[in-house]
Amino acid sequence: MKVLLVEPPVSPYDVPTTIFAMPPPHHLELIAGALVGHHDVRIIDLRIESDIRSELSVFQPEMVGCSCVAANIHLAKQVLKQAKKFNREIFTVLGGHHPSLMPKDCDDDCVDAVVIGEGEQTIAELAAKCETNGNLSNIKGIAFRDKDGNFKINPRRELMDINTLPKPARNLTQKYREKGQYFRASWRPIDCIISSRGCPFKCKFCGLWKINRGKYRYRDPELIANELETIDDAYISFIDDNTLDHTKHAFQLAEIIKQRQLSKKLELYGRADTIVRHPELVEKWCDVGMELLLVGLETCDSKALKEMNKHTTIEMNKKAIEICRTNGVELVAYLIVDPDFDHDDFKRLSEYVSQNDLTHPVFTVLSPFPGTDLYYEVKHQLITKSLELFDFFHTVLPTKLPLDEFYEEFLNLYRNAYPTKNFIKAVFQGKAVLTPRMIAMNHKIRKRMQALRSHHDLIQSP
């Protein structure tokens, strides 16, 4: 069977993608890895290309699959509609974060099946059944449309042993890799790897723990190191939910990377409590190439941390910042802006960043992603039904401040945290390089941020 896997195009409401960062579609490479050897598979990245019709015409696929989140499900559906328009007999599949949490949102004529949860085993079984026109009713982990047109949701599939993950088919995105089109800021080209899945914590704004059923699973360090040895790129992002959670595993993996002398620059995810309890773990990873550690500090307010079910404290966050600074790793601090913020709240958060010398803060608007505990708590308050705005940069909840003032304060957080004078200083210190690409990136990101306030008018206009 010919299978075309598609990364949807970038939403016009998306702020950072294609400007600040664009990682490879590793999720599709894994899905492809589960299919190669049995099927003819291709990947097209519509964040980079635009002509899917030519690919459909040349390749003539029998199955087309897309992965999506809430904010781009409409774009994924458009892709599948194009496939159906090209050939009604093409079997279309939708998977990813939003379809896994809200499969009923995929009840659309352009969608033949929905992969719910992990897709590597499910897609292989689904493709095999489709190839023989088999019965889909006994495939676990899918929703599908039966012969009578009814949308049915099958029982969930058991969580897989992630040591059995297929080898990612990175060769299928080679044409994009060769041009350095996958990146994170100055890290170019960048590649991705998985060392674990899931998180044992249950933050109410997060849906990943629900997809992973509150379980935390990690891969054999030897398997991870073996995969790292096959990656040519110097910059690697561990796209885990919580890379350092199992500290014994994290220590073992760092030690194997050191023993094999794998010279990479690494980006990992961790929690403040893990850092505080195991500062030696940070030191160990810095020794093997960790340059960025992404940590959800979330807020400078103790009460808000408790309401988020975060299980960390302000004191713990401060200690984690100090440990990272001592070890020379840049802490990428994720901080949540509540729609209920007033001017004083914005000022307090900006001062918190300055006082703690956070050089790489990422401010995000509290987003009640459909399917999360937060969503069910506040869905009656939503000011828009348009999923396009369910991201980290738009508010879909009422704001205490007038909307224009809210976005202006949000923009000011970034202006204050990343003043132009700091970049010029970094250039003179040799910590940054002033290139046409960096100048263009800075201009584009500021332009997109400035457009935030107009997006609500566009979405909600009659």
Side-chain angles (χ1 to χ4, degrees), residues 320-371:
I321 294 168
E322 293 171 357
I323 291 169
C324 287
R325 183 174 296 119
T326 299
N327 285 279
V329 63
E330 185 157 18
L331 186 147
V332 181
Y334 281 82
L335 295 158
I336 295 175
V337 172
D338 194 306
D340 204 38
F341 270 17
D342 58 23
H343 292 294
D344 287 340
D345 293 317
F346 278 105
K347 182 180 179 182
R348 193 176 303 114
L349 184 57
S350 186
E351 289 175 347
Y352 174 80
V353 169
S354 178
Q355 290 165 1
N356 287 280
D357 194 24
L358 295 174
T359 57
H360 202 140
V362 179
F363 304 101
T364 61
V365 178
L366 181 65
S367 298
F369 291 104

Side-chain angles (χ1 to χ4, degrees), residues 64-356:
V64 172
C66 267
S67 180
C68 65
V69 294
N72 68 353
I73 186 173
H74 65 296
L75 295 170
K77 286 183 178 180
Q78 286 178 17
V79 168
L80 300 187
K81 286 176 182 177
Q82 286 180 282
K84 285 291 189 183
K85 184 177 180 180
F86 177 79
N87 180 357
R88 190 67 196 171
E89 297 304 311
I90 291 176
F91 191 89
T92 54
V93 186
L94 201 55
H97 184 274
H98 187 73
S100 294
L101 290 172
M102 306 290 284
K104 289 184 180 179
D105 281 2
C106 307
D107 184 2
D108 193 294
D109 288 344
C110 67
V111 182
D112 291 322
V114 182
V115 172
I116 301 170
E118 294 175 311
E120 291 86 4
Q121 294 176 337
T122 306
I123 195 69
E125 189 174 342
L126 182 60
K129 287 285 186 181
C130 288
E131 195 169 36
T132 59
N133 294 315
N135 185 0
L136 305 185
S137 61
N138 60 354
I139 299 179
K140 290 183 178 181
I142 69 165
F144 71 104
R145 196 172 311 286
D146 65 16
K147 293 181 179 179
D148 297 323
N150 299 311
F151 189 76
K152 294 188 174 182
I153 301 177
N154 288 352
R156 294 196 296 180
R157 183 177 293 273
E158 298 79 7
L159 293 175
M160 68 183 295
D161 174 1
I162 63 170
N163 283 324
T164 64
L165 278 172
K167 180 182 178 182
R170 292 184 172 91
N171 60 302
L172 297 183
T173 55
Q174 187 60 30
K175 61 180 179 180
Y176 309 119
R177 294 171 179 277
E178 288 174 351
K179 298 178 182 178
Q181 291 174 298
Y182 295 131
F183 68 98
R184 184 199 191 282
S186 62
W187 284 22
R188 185 188 297 262
I190 193 171
D191 210 334
C192 300
I193 195 168
I194 289 175
S195 72
S196 64
R197 274 183 179 168
C199 178
F201 297 89
K202 299 180 179 179
C203 300
K204 72 177 183 179
F205 54 79
C206 179
L208 289 171
W209 68 264
K210 290 196 169 189
I211 294 174
N212 290 281
R213 301 172 212 175
K215 305 293 184 183
Y216 182 80
R217 294 161 293 153
Y218 51 89
R219 294 174 70 194
D220 186 315
E222 293 283 351
L223 293 177
I224 302 167
N226 291 344
E227 186 176 341
L228 280 170
E229 287 183 328
T230 69
I231 299 175
D232 294 328
D233 297 334
Y235 302 105
I236 306 293
S237 176
F238 281 76
I239 52 171
D240 308 319
D241 304 329
N242 189 349
T243 311
L244 302 178
D245 187 76
H246 193 285
T247 53
K248 182 179 178 181
H249 170 263
F251 270 114
Q252 290 174 341
L253 178 55
E255 183 59 31
I256 291 173
I257 291 173
K258 183 176 182 178
Q259 290 172 1
R260 298 199 190 184
Q261 299 181 332
L262 299 175
S263 180
K264 305 288 185 183
K265 294 183 179 180
L266 308 173
E267 173 190 71
L268 280 70
Y269 285 85
R271 281 176 53 96
D273 50 352
T274 306
I275 295 167
V276 171
R277 293 186 185 114
H278 301 278
E280 70 280 8
L281 187 57
V282 176
E283 181 180 359
K284 183 77 172 178
W285 272 94
C286 286
D287 187 46
V288 297
M290 180 177 69
E291 293 194 357
L292 297 174
L293 182 54
L294 284 60
V295 183
L297 300 183
E298 317 304 5
T299 178
C300 58
D301 181 80
S302 297
K303 182 181 177 183
L305 273 178
K306 187 173 182 180
E307 289 175 349
M308 292 174 187
N309 199 31
K310 185 70 183 181
H311 294 286
T312 55
T313 65
I314 297 300
E315 294 74 19
M316 198 177 284
N317 285 349
K318 184 174 180 61
K319 184 65 175 174
I321 294 168
E322 293 171 357
I323 291 169
C324 287
R325 183 174 296 119
T326 299
N327 285 279
V329 63
E330 185 157 18
L331 186 147
V332 181
Y334 281 82
L335 295 158
I336 295 175
V337 172
D338 194 306
D340 204 38
F341 270 17
D342 58 23
H343 292 294
D344 287 340
D345 293 317
F346 278 105
K347 182 180 179 182
R348 193 176 303 114
L349 184 57
S350 186
E351 289 175 347
Y352 174 80
V353 169
S354 178
Q355 290 165 1
N356 287 280

